[in-house]
Amino acid sequence: MASVFVTAAIPESALNILQKAGLDVDSYTGDALITKDELLKRIVGKDYLITPLSTQVDQDVIDADPQLKLIANYGAGFNNIDVAYARQKNIPVTNTPKVSTTSTAEVTTGLIITLAHRMVEGDKLMRTKGFAGWAPLFFLGHELAGKTLGILGMGQIGQAVAKRMAAFDMHIIYTQRKPLDAATEGQLNATYVTLDELLAQSDVLTIHAPLTDETHHLLGAPEFKKMKDSAYLINAARGPVIDEAALLDALHAHQLAGAALDVYEAEPHVDEGFKALDNVILTPHVGNATVEARDAMAEIVAKNAVRVAQGEEPLHVVN
C-alpha cells in the first residue's frame, strides 16, 4: 500500500480523500512544528510528502527517502523546498495557488485600513489608560480616498487588492517585470510604473511579489529613502522581500509613517524593535488563514497525492 507522510495537522477533509483512495496516512500531530530529526526519521519509506510551507524540505530530507514520488506543499509559496534538487531526483513539487487569493487580499485590505486609521493603536489606548473624550485634533489618522496605492507584484493577489481598494477611491499604480495587457489594466484602472516611480508616488505600498533571488531584500535602505515620509508599507507576501533591519531604521528615522507585517524575514521570529513601535501592526502570517482557503488547499494536496498514486500527473507543479 502506498503511503503518505503529512508533516502537520491539516483539515480532516484531506485525510478522508487520502484514506478513501486507499493510501496509508501517517500524520505528525505534535503541538510544535516538526523538527528536522523527526522529519528525517518518519519520511523513510513514504511515497508522498504533504508539508506546510513552515517545514524545510532540503536535500537531506529528500535523500532520506529514495522512494519519494511527490512533495505537495500546503501553501502557494514553495521557497521552503529545494525544488531544483527535487527536480534532479525527478520528484514533482506542487503548491496550492489561487485558493489563497481572496483571503490574502481581504487581509491586506484590512491591514491598510487599520493602519491608516490607527485602529490597533486605538484599541491599545482603550485597553490601558483610555481617553479624555472627543477632541478636534485627537488621534488623527488618514483617509484613503484620493491617495495612491502602489502594488509591488500584480499577480492574482495584487489584482484582487487593486479591485478592493479601488472601491475606496484610491489611485492604483503597480510594478512588476512586465506590464499587464491593456485590457486588464483598463479593468483595474491601474497604471504601470517603474519601481522608483512606485516608491516615490505611493501613499500606501503593498507587496505581492514572490520570493526569488531577484526579490530578496528588494526593499532596503535606498528604497525607503525614496518613499514619502507619510507612506505606509504593507507586507503579506514573503518576509525576506524586505530588509527588516533597514525598515526598522527607516521607521525610527521617520522616513515612513508606519508598516503592517504579516510575514517576517526570519519567521516565526519577530524583531523586538517592531514590537516597541505603535505605528507597526504585526500579525502571525494569517494571510490565508480562513476555513475556506485552508479547506481548498487541503483538497489540492490530497488530490495531487491520489493523482500520482493512480498514475496521473499532479496539478500545479512548480519544478
Side-chain angles (χ1 to χ4, degrees), residues 117-184:
H117 287 273
R118 303 176 65 186
M119 292 182 180
V120 172
E121 285 185 75
D123 179 81
K124 181 180 178 181
L125 177 69
M126 296 307 296
R127 291 174 188 273
T128 52
K129 66 180 182 180
F131 75 124
W134 188 93
L137 300 180
F138 174 69
F139 221 81
L140 302 183
H142 289 278
E143 295 179 2
L144 296 170
K147 304 297 196 304
T148 296
L149 174 66
I151 300 177
L152 178 56
M154 197 63 131
Q156 290 181 330
I157 295 174
Q159 291 181 38
V161 171
K163 291 175 183 177
R164 285 157 176 77
M165 298 316 299
F168 285 79
D169 297 323
M170 296 194 78
H171 173 56
I172 310 296
I173 60 175
Y174 75 98
T175 197
Q176 57 185 8
R177 284 185 177 181
K178 296 180 180 179
L180 299 169
D181 61 84
T184 303

Side-chain angles (χ1 to χ4, degrees), residues 33-81:
L33 296 178
I34 191 170
T35 65
K36 184 173 182 178
D37 287 343
E38 180 79 4
L39 178 55
L40 288 170
K41 179 174 66 177
R42 296 190 45 185
I43 195 176
V44 176
K46 302 300 191 297
D47 297 285
Y48 318 112
L49 176 66
I50 293 176
T51 184
L53 55 84
S54 55
T55 298
Q56 297 297 312
V57 181
D58 57 17
Q59 292 187 20
D60 294 338
V61 174
I62 295 170
D63 285 339
D65 186 13
Q67 70 186 61
L68 191 61
K69 302 177 183 67
L70 172 73
I71 302 171
N73 210 42
Y74 190 96
F78 46 88
N79 52 289
N80 57 308
I81 298 172

Side-chain angles (χ1 to χ4, degrees), residues 71-73 75-78 93-97 300-301 304 315-318:
I71 302 171
N73 210 42
F78 46 88
V93 176
T94 64
N95 69 339
T96 58
I300 290 173
V301 295
N304 267 339
L315 303 177
H316 313 304
V317 177
V318 299

